[in-house]
Amino acid sequence: MLGIAHLLMMAMAKEGVSREEAAKRIWMVDSRGLIVKTLEEVVETVKPTAIIGVAAITGAFTEKIIKGMASFNERPIIFALSNPTSKAECTAEQCYNLTEGRGIFASGSPFDKVTLADGRSFIPGQGNNAYVFPGVALGVIACGVRHISDDIFLTTAEIVNYAYKNNMASLYPEPIDKEAFVLSHIYSPDYDSFTLDNYSWPEEAMNVQDV
């Protein structure tokens, strides 16, 4: 949880927000709430644009919390990232139904498609680290990054460019076509077959047809 908060502060700093101001905009909550407040009270008081669940407390995002998020946000961001699915802070169905389809939902485990009463369907997406770590590892291995800093995770989508620009790579010369360079490091499960093709044709297919 603290790691996520630090990355959020770094992201806000890149947009010109001071570290002190960024810290004031992040509210840390555990299973008992924020110091003397419950999670419901924190949401009601702070009116956040996003809530992120990573504490593996089933149902932590209650109906009151989700409806509250929808009442003061046109597009409330609700990330129930705890694994497994049984530990998710809320379900995708709860999020979409209680926000009338306006909620931006992501989970740590997969959820089935949700269809609302009005016929609209939503396919929940996953936002957990299963999608981040492989990309980071590929970039690190490809250009031989010497040290994996927090900045690396913040710039995951541009990791190879970042590594060479900041003199963090150890593989030189710097590749000109970085996309092709990275793709060349991706494992391919396709193999050439060395067995002879052997086809068995139906007897009628062997007849010459007159047209």
Side-chain angles (χ1 to χ4, degrees), residues 19-57:
R19 186 175 181 84
E20 293 73 19
E21 185 62 27
K24 291 179 181 178
R25 298 185 185 183
I26 298 175
W27 300 73
M28 304 297 288
V29 179
D30 62 13
S31 61
R32 297 178 181 272
L34 177 63
I35 306 177
V36 295
K37 290 188 176 185
T38 65
L39 180 56
E40 288 184 352
E41 291 171 329
V42 172
V43 170
E44 184 178 348
T45 302
V46 179
K47 293 181 171 50
T49 57
I51 51 177
I52 302 174
V54 291
I57 300 174

Side-chain angles (χ1 to χ4, degrees), residues 122-141:
F122 299 87
I123 300 177
Q126 286 181 249
N128 59 349
N129 53 25
Y131 295 103
V132 175
F133 289 162
V136 172
L138 176 61
V140 166
I141 292 170

Side-chain angles (χ1 to χ4, degrees), residues 48-102:
T49 57
I51 51 177
I52 302 174
V54 291
I57 300 174
T58 307
F61 296 165
T62 63
E63 179 177 340
K64 182 178 179 181
I65 288 174
I66 297 173
K67 284 187 173 180
M69 289 289 293
S71 70
F72 44 76
N73 288 300
E74 179 62 29
R75 298 283 284 166
I77 300 170
I78 299 173
F79 286 0
L81 302 183
S82 292
N83 289 309
T85 305
S86 61
K87 294 292 185 181
E89 288 74 15
C90 71
T91 66
E93 185 176 13
Q94 289 170 331
C95 174
Y96 293 128
N97 274 307
L98 295 175
T99 64
E100 300 174 331
R102 293 185 286 113

Side-chain angles (χ1 to χ4, degrees), residues 166-181:
N166 292 276
N167 196 32
M168 298 174 69
S170 61
L171 187 64
Y172 288 90
E174 180 178 347
I176 298 174
D177 187 340
K178 293 186 177 62
E179 181 177 356
F181 169 68

Side-chain angles (χ1 to χ4, degrees), residues 94-159:
Q94 289 170 331
C95 174
Y96 293 128
N97 274 307
L98 295 175
T99 64
E100 300 174 331
R102 293 185 286 113
I104 299 174
F105 178 83
S107 60
S109 295
F111 278 97
D112 294 331
K113 181 176 73 172
V114 176
T115 301
L116 301 185
D118 60 12
R120 287 180 297 160
S121 293
F122 299 87
I123 300 177
Q126 286 181 249
N128 59 349
N129 53 25
Y131 295 103
V132 175
F133 289 162
V136 172
L138 176 61
V140 166
I141 292 170
C143 57
V145 172
R146 297 189 299 270
H147 173 67
I148 304 174
S149 64
D150 287 339
D151 287 335
I152 289 291
F153 285 93
L154 192 61
T155 58
T156 299
E158 304 166 341
I159 187 171

